[in-house]
Amino acid sequence: MLFDSWDGLVRVLIMAGLAYLVLIAAVRASGKRALSKMNAFDLVVTVALGSTLATILLNRQVALLEGAAALGMLVALQFFTAWASVRSGKVRRLVKAEPTVLLYQGRMLCEAMRRQRVTPDEVRQAVRAQGIGDMEDVQAVVLETDGSFSVITRSQYGSGTALDNVERPRRHPS
């Protein structure tokens, strides 16, 4: 159980080094966006890359070039999908979630919070993390596509154009 053979151990060490270099090259080739905060689509690709890397390292039936081809294909698909989502609203809506307003004008939007599975305590925590002590000072809290919260105070709100692409309630609370 602890040790099978020197051949297997040497293979894993060599494949790990080579596959690591292939993975680094593939991630670098995919651009800076590959390393930014992840949305759900990016997470799926990252998990697939990790699974492919593990298969390359541990499955004797997978040659390095086959694994490199799989890694390259995943990165190419990620790149193509990102390219298509920049150029097509339909593709963008398919692969990326829309940001959602969870609090507006100091009032929590319970329906939006329920749909996004966010509790009032999480919204208050996001507000506190920005050093704000009074919910009435908050114009909006937005759940971003990467799962982070953006907090906009009334003094920062201005014309509100930063919220133009954000899913909002049908009627603003009064």
Side-chain angles (χ1 to χ4, degrees):
M1 283 299 223
L2 296 178
F3 181 78
D4 193 23
S5 73
W6 284 108
D7 289 344
L9 186 59
V10 169
R11 181 195 177 281
V12 167
L13 293 175
I14 291 170
M15 290 296 280
L18 295 173
Y20 178 76
L21 293 174
V22 169
L23 182 61
I24 294 299
V27 169
R28 289 286 293 147
S30 67
K32 293 177 183 176
R33 290 280 302 150
L35 303 175
S36 66
K37 289 186 177 182
M38 289 189 285
N39 58 41
F41 177 74
D42 297 327
L43 178 64
V44 168
V45 171
T46 301
V47 170
L49 285 170
S51 177
T52 303
L53 182 61
T55 300
I56 295 168
L57 297 180
L58 301 175
N59 189 335
R60 290 177 186 251
Q61 296 174 339
V62 177
L64 179 62
L65 287 179
E66 292 170 340
L71 289 172
M73 185 61 162
L74 287 170
V75 170
L77 289 170
Q78 165 76 347
F79 179 83
F80 174 74
T81 304
W83 178 86
S85 70
V86 167
R87 287 157 181 77
S88 167
K90 287 181 183 180
V91 173
R92 185 172 36 256
R93 285 187 295 279
L94 179 67
V95 297
K96 295 191 178 191
E98 293 288 322
T100 304
V101 174
L102 303 175
L103 180 140
Y104 190 74
Q105 296 178 340
R107 292 188 174 86
M108 297 210 189
L109 305 176
C110 296
E111 177 60 26
M113 291 170 56
R114 185 186 62 70
R115 275 193 335 273
Q116 299 301 324
R117 296 175 305 282
V118 174
T119 66
D121 288 340
E122 291 173 301
V123 173
R124 283 190 283 274
Q125 178 184 3
V127 171
R128 287 192 307 271
Q130 296 299 310
I132 302 167
D134 189 346
M135 297 297 279
E136 291 298 320
D137 292 340
V138 179
Q139 180 69 22
V141 174
V142 178
L143 178 62
E144 300 293 352
T145 60
D146 64 3
S148 65
F149 294 95
S150 294
V151 178
I152 302 169
T153 64
R154 291 185 190 275
S155 63
Q156 295 170 325
Y157 186 70
S159 66
T161 56
L163 297 178
D164 283 353
N165 71 327
V166 178
E167 179 184 326
R168 298 192 218 189
R170 304 250 187 273
R171 291 179 282 121
H172 295 302
S174 30

